[in-house]
Amino acid sequence: MKNQRELTVLLIEDDQFACEEIRNYIDQLDDMHLLGITDDSNKALDMVQYCIPDAIILDLELHEGGGNGLFFLSKLHDLGLEKLPYILITTQNTSNVTLEAARQLGADFIITKYERDYSAQKPVELLRMMRNAIQRHSTPNTTVPTLSPAEQNRKLTIRIHRELDAIGISPKAIGYEYLTEAIIIATNEPVPNLSRAIASKHAGKTPASVERAMQNAINRAWSNGNPEDLARNYTAVINYERGVPTLTEFIYHYANRFRNEL
């Protein structure tokens, strides 16, 4: 459950330096909480539906990621949210036509990155200044229907698959679905032996074979994957001597992140 004093924010940005600056700055604040970062507009839509942020810092042009900010804005209304988040756009785009289109699609405020006094902290400070107004606007008076456990797990599965895909774990790998199941279990209600719990659902599988399939999927991602994609999408600290996360580290990195978003 989120702290009501905090403004919850989703960052959609493809500049890794800006992402780190904004993340580090928000981490020092006690009135804001960064729910997540993505450079992909499709993934961002899933995250909004799952996390329901109060506000979004949105870069219009996601050259290094996927999609773009205008696409995100156009699809945001299709989610059927009780209240739309406050949309703060940051952009290098100088086209008045493009910026007007963003406003028509629902952007609440636009900060241009080419302004003389622009910094990564500027959009954060603007949101802080407006925090009370944003929360009053984004918090409905009626109760939002509670998702059923099945619906909650369906949305969580989408999030997990996005994360596994982003670091190069193939959906064809045997460990792909096992990892998905393990992260869901660890997020919802951790059990002493995840491999045994998963093996019990699959006829003929042993805990050892399940554990081996999951670790092999992780190992292949780190040995064959793009190092930049791994560094960008898997942010937990890895022991430099091993060079690859252990199974427990991997599962609980995601489980802890998703649990904090519930």
Side-chain angles (χ1 to χ4, degrees):
M1 194 74 178
K2 71 181 183 185
N3 185 331
Q4 293 302 311
R5 294 187 306 104
E6 295 179 327
L7 185 78
T8 56
V9 179
L10 174 66
L11 175 59
I12 307 171
E13 170 65 71
D14 67 337
D15 183 325
Q16 293 307 304
F17 180 74
C19 288
E20 286 306 308
E21 278 200 317
I22 291 174
R23 184 209 299 271
N24 292 337
Y25 189 57
I26 291 179
D27 282 348
Q28 300 172 36
L29 306 176
D30 60 5
D31 56 0
M32 293 184 73
H33 174 60
L34 185 61
L35 292 172
I37 300 173
T38 182
D39 62 2
D40 184 284
S41 56
N42 276 310
K43 183 175 178 180
L45 291 166
D46 290 337
M47 295 174 74
V48 169
Q49 199 167 17
Y50 183 73
C51 304
I52 313 180
D54 293 321
I56 294 172
I57 300 175
L58 171 65
D59 182 18
L60 276 186
E61 298 175 317
L62 303 171
H63 297 299
E64 302 300 323
N68 60 73
L70 292 180
F71 171 84
F72 171 82
L73 290 171
S74 69
K75 295 298 182 181
L76 183 62
H77 298 273
D78 297 339
L79 298 182
L81 301 175
E82 185 75 17
K83 291 286 186 179
L84 291 173
Y86 185 89
I87 307 294
L88 171 57
I89 282 180
T90 62
T91 183
Q92 294 277 12
N93 194 292
T94 61
S95 167
N96 289 330
V97 174
T98 300
L99 299 183
E100 179 58 29
R103 292 186 180 97
Q104 291 179 2
L105 287 169
D108 292 289
F109 199 92
I110 298 175
I111 298 178
T112 52
K113 295 181 180 179
Y114 50 80
E115 293 176 14
R116 184 164 41 187
D117 62 343
Y118 180 81
S119 68
Q121 289 78 31
K122 187 170 182 178
V124 176
E125 284 305 317
L126 189 143
L127 291 178
R128 292 184 77 195
M129 181 175 64
M130 301 182 62
R131 178 169 61 90
N132 291 335
I134 290 172
Q135 288 183 321
R136 280 198 301 272
H137 173 76
S138 63
T139 303
N141 292 325
T142 55
T143 303
V144 178
T146 303
L147 293 177
S148 68
E151 181 68 11
Q152 181 95 1
N153 283 344
R154 185 189 71 80
K155 290 188 174 183
L156 183 53
T157 297
I158 292 172
R159 287 286 320 275
I160 294 169
H161 285 175
R162 293 278 191 187
E163 296 293 342
L164 297 183
D165 294 345
I167 61 173
I169 294 183
S170 171
K172 296 179 181 180
I174 298 174
Y176 185 88
E177 286 304 324
Y178 293 162
L179 284 168
T180 302
E181 292 180 37
I183 294 169
I184 290 173
I185 293 171
T187 301
N188 292 331
E189 189 176 354
V191 299
N193 191 317
L194 284 170
S195 298
R196 181 177 297 137
I198 295 168
S200 67
K201 300 178 182 180
H202 299 270
K205 299 298 180 182
T206 65
S209 67
V210 168
E211 184 170 331
R212 186 164 53 249
M214 291 191 288
Q215 187 66 63
N216 285 343
I218 295 169
N219 292 346
R220 279 195 294 273
W222 259 262
S223 61
N224 302 328
N226 184 316
E228 291 183 358
D229 289 342
L230 290 168
R232 180 168 64 248
N233 294 292
Y234 188 84
T235 56
V237 176
I238 301 173
N239 183 297
Y240 75 93
E241 292 182 349
R242 289 196 311 269
V244 62
T246 67
L247 183 56
T248 299
E249 289 171 344
F250 185 89
I251 291 170
Y252 282 95
H253 164 66
Y254 290 111
N256 290 336
R257 183 203 298 179
F258 298 146
R259 195 181 306 118
N260 289 335
E261 295 172 359
L262 292 177

